[in-house]
């Protein structure tokens, strides 16, 4: 599909849910966000914005039963906007991107820069791969960190032809995967094709159909990738060992803290028990003291009661003695009165008898 064709039919689908391509690795379903002169932007169901170059877009499928309302949250994705596909690529410089959705030429890495008609992508194993822009079917910004210090990149050439000339007499890999992949020494260049020699085989490839090129063999790149993976694995093992040691130290520290806490808890319990015992003893001493005081008080009260009783008994005895003395005195007085009366009676009787006797005598005389 050329860029000079009418794209009004795609504009009518803007805001609807569509599928790009009927099938294959480039086929994706999502919301059609933008329709420009040479690209469209599709928001996939996993909230990833994919930019398709319309020159490769073979078909667009619409499901008429699907709602035209977007089903994703606009705050979860970022949409780049420009007038051309090349300008969109420039907006992705120094970001982690994926070229094509799948297939042998699909690659993820850091987009280092854009030249006249090609871009340079640094792969995850630090290999710079140069893509002709007109062969790129789709591109998207991916999650993940970009390569370190990508801003130090300097474009190796102004155009793809100049880039091929700079690789002359070097071992190169052309079209990284698939049946058209070739590697060998870039021996000769003309305006129409390049010559690559691999042992006894001589390959001639037209420049237009070279999708991408990188220096070095796939074997060396694979070995470099394996070394990188081994280094990463060793780093991961080191990190894991460091983490394990850190966890072990942390566990030991936790055990020590646990032991210290248990010891402190035990000491605290012992101190509490001792304090309770002291409190109990103090309480017992206090109770004993109170009991002794009560006993002393009782004894004092008993003593006082006994003293009062003795005093009362003494007073009673004294009163009794006084009463007895008074009674004895009265008795003596009465006895004396009786004796005096008896003596008086006796005297009167005697006197009366004497008088009677005298009178008798007188009578007789």
């Amino acid at each position: 599909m050329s860029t000079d064709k009418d794209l009004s039919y795609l504009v009518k689908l803007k805001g609807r849910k569509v599928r790009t391509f009927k099938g294959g690795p480039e086929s994706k379903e999502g919301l059609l966000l933008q329709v420009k002169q040479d690209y469209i932007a599709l928001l996939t169901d996993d909230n990833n914005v994919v930019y398709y170059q319309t020159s490769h877009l073979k078909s667009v499928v619409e499901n008429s039963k699907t709602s035209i309302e977007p089903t994703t949250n606009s705050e979860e994705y970022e949409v780049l906007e420009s007038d051309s596909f090349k300008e969109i690529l420039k907006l992705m410089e120094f970001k982690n991107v994926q070229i094509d959705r799948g297939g042998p030429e699909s690659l993820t890495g850091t987009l280092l820069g854009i030249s006249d008609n090609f871009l340079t992508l640094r792969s995850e194993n630090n290999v710079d791969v140069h893509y002709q822009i007109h062969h790129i079917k789709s591109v998207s910004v991916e999650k993940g960190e970009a390569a370190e210090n990508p801003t130090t990149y300097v474009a190796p050439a102004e155009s793809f032809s100049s880039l091929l000339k700079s690789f002359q007499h070097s071992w190169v890999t052309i079209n990284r995967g698939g049946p058209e992949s070739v590697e060998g020494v870039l021996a000769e260049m003309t305006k129409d094709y390049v010559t690559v020699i691999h042992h006894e085989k001589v390959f001639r490839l037209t420049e237009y159909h070279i999708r991408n090129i990188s220096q070095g063999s796939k074997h060396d790149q694979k070995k470099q990738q394996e070394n990188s993976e081994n280094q990463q694995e060793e780093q991961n093992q080191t990190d894991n060992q460091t983490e394990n040691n850190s966890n072990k130290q942390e566990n030991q520290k936790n055990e020590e803290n646990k032991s210290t806490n248990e010891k402190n808890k035990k000491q605290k319990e012992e101190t509490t028990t001792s304090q309770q015992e002291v409190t109990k003893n103090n309480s017992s001493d206090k109770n004993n003291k109170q009991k002794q005081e009560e006993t002393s008080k009782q004894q004092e009260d008993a003593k006082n009661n006994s003293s009062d009783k003795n005093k009362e008994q003494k007073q009673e005895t004294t009163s009794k003695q006084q009463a007895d003395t008074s009674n004895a005195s009265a008795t003596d007085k009465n006895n004396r009165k009786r004796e005096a009366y008896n003596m008086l009676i006796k005297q009167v009787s005697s006197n009366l008898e004497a008088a009677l006797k005298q009178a008798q005598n007188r009578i007789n005389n």
Side-chain angles (χ1 to χ4, degrees):
M1 185 181 296
S2 60
T3 58
D4 58 352
K5 288 187 177 182
D6 183 14
L7 300 178
S8 59
Y9 74 99
L10 290 177
V11 176
K12 294 179 181 180
L13 297 177
K14 187 177 178 181
R16 297 180 180 270
K17 198 164 187 179
V18 300
R19 174 180 290 277
T20 56
F21 296 90
K22 184 179 179 181
E26 293 298 324
S27 179
K28 291 290 181 181
E29 190 176 73
L31 191 70
L32 185 58
L33 298 177
Q34 296 178 3
V35 179
K36 299 294 182 179
Q37 62 179 1
D38 63 348
Y39 78 92
I40 64 171
L42 186 76
L43 175 62
T44 62
D45 292 337
D46 56 356
N47 277 353
N48 192 17
V49 181
V50 182
Y51 303 86
Y52 287 90
Q53 197 166 194
T54 54
S55 60
H56 293 281
L57 194 60
K58 295 180 180 180
S59 62
V60 176
V61 183
E62 178 192 8
N63 188 344
S64 59
K65 294 183 179 180
T66 304
S67 172
I68 64 173
E69 295 296 329
T71 57
T72 53
N73 188 351
S74 61
E75 296 180 356
E76 297 179 0
Y77 61 88
E78 178 185 3
V79 182
L80 305 177
E81 188 169 0
S82 186
D83 292 333
S84 67
F85 186 71
K86 186 176 180 181
E87 293 298 322
I88 286 290
L89 293 176
K90 288 183 178 180
L91 294 177
M92 294 182 181
E93 284 184 340
F94 314 130
K95 294 183 179 180
N96 193 47
V97 303
Q98 179 181 344
I99 292 179
D100 295 345
R101 302 304 89 200
E105 306 304 331
S106 178
L107 187 65
T108 300
T110 302
L111 181 56
L112 297 182
I114 310 294
S115 296
D116 179 42
N117 56 355
F118 75 95
L119 63 79
T120 301
L121 188 77
R122 179 162 294 171
S123 67
E124 295 176 348
N125 57 343
N126 290 325
V127 176
D128 290 347
V129 183
H130 311 278
Y131 281 83
Q132 289 205 77
I133 293 176
H134 70 264
H135 279 301
I136 297 175
K137 296 178 181 179
S138 64
V139 64
S140 62
V141 177
E142 298 296 311
K143 296 179 181 179
E145 297 181 358
E148 295 181 0
N149 300 324
T151 55
T152 59
Y153 169 77
V154 177
E158 294 182 358
S159 66
F160 195 71
S161 297
S162 301
L163 178 70
L164 295 177
K165 289 180 181 179
S166 68
F167 288 163
Q168 192 170 7
H169 307 307
S170 299
W171 191 281
V172 296
T173 298
I174 296 176
N175 300 337
R176 297 178 57 80
E180 298 301 320
S181 177
V182 174
E183 65 174 274
V185 176
L186 182 57
E188 184 183 1
M189 286 189 57
T190 69
K191 64 178 182 178
D192 297 320
Y193 66 90
V194 297
T195 301
V196 177
I197 299 175
H198 187 188
H199 300 301
E200 72 280 1
K201 295 181 180 180
V202 178
F203 298 92
R204 292 177 176 86
L205 301 95
T206 58
E207 180 181 326
Y208 180 85
H209 290 292
I210 297 177
R211 296 181 179 180
N212 55 68
I213 186 172
S214 60
Q215 282 187 299
S217 68
K218 288 191 292 185
H219 174 73
D220 293 339
Q221 294 173 5
K222 184 177 180 181
K223 187 174 181 181
Q224 182 179 0
Q225 182 177 4
E226 289 177 353
N227 291 335
S228 177
E229 290 176 353
N230 291 335
Q231 290 177 357
Q232 184 64 36
E233 185 177 357
E234 290 177 359
Q235 183 64 36
N236 292 336
Q237 290 178 352
T238 302
D239 293 341
N240 291 334
Q241 184 65 32
T242 303
E243 185 177 359
N244 291 334
N245 292 335
S246 178
N247 291 335
K248 188 175 180 180
Q249 292 176 355
E250 187 69 21
N251 291 334
Q252 290 177 350
K253 186 176 180 180
N254 291 335
E255 289 295 330
E256 291 176 357
N257 291 335
K258 185 178 179 181
S259 177
T260 302
N261 291 335
E262 290 178 353
K263 186 176 180 181
N264 292 336
K265 184 178 179 181
K266 187 175 180 180
Q267 289 178 348
K268 187 175 180 180
E269 288 176 352
E270 290 177 353
T271 302
T272 302
T273 304
S274 177
Q275 290 176 348
Q276 290 176 348
E277 188 69 24
V278 170
T279 303
K280 185 177 179 181
N281 292 334
N282 291 336
S283 177
S284 178
D285 292 341
K286 185 177 181 180
N287 292 335
N288 290 334
K289 186 176 181 180
Q290 289 178 350
K291 189 173 181 180
Q292 289 176 356
E293 289 177 353
E294 289 176 358
T295 302
S296 298
K297 186 176 181 181
Q298 288 176 356
Q299 290 177 351
E300 186 69 22
D301 292 341
K303 185 177 179 181
N304 293 333
N305 291 335
S306 176
S307 176
D308 293 341
K309 188 175 181 180
N310 291 334
K311 186 176 181 180
E312 184 179 352
Q313 288 178 351
K314 187 175 180 180
Q315 288 177 352
E316 289 178 356
T317 302
T318 303
S319 298
K320 187 176 181 181
Q321 288 176 353
Q322 289 176 351
D324 291 343
T325 302
S326 178
N327 291 333
S329 176
T331 301
D332 290 341
K333 187 176 181 180
N334 290 333
N335 290 333
R336 284 196 299 271
K337 285 181 178 182
R338 191 176 289 111
E339 288 178 358
Y341 180 75
N342 289 334
M343 288 178 63
L344 181 60
I345 292 300
K346 188 176 180 180
Q347 186 177 359
V348 169
S349 297
S350 177
N351 290 335
L352 182 58
E353 186 178 351
L356 289 173
K357 191 174 179 179
Q358 288 177 359
Q360 187 69 35
N361 292 326
R362 283 178 182 175
I363 295 172
N364 294 329
N365 292 327

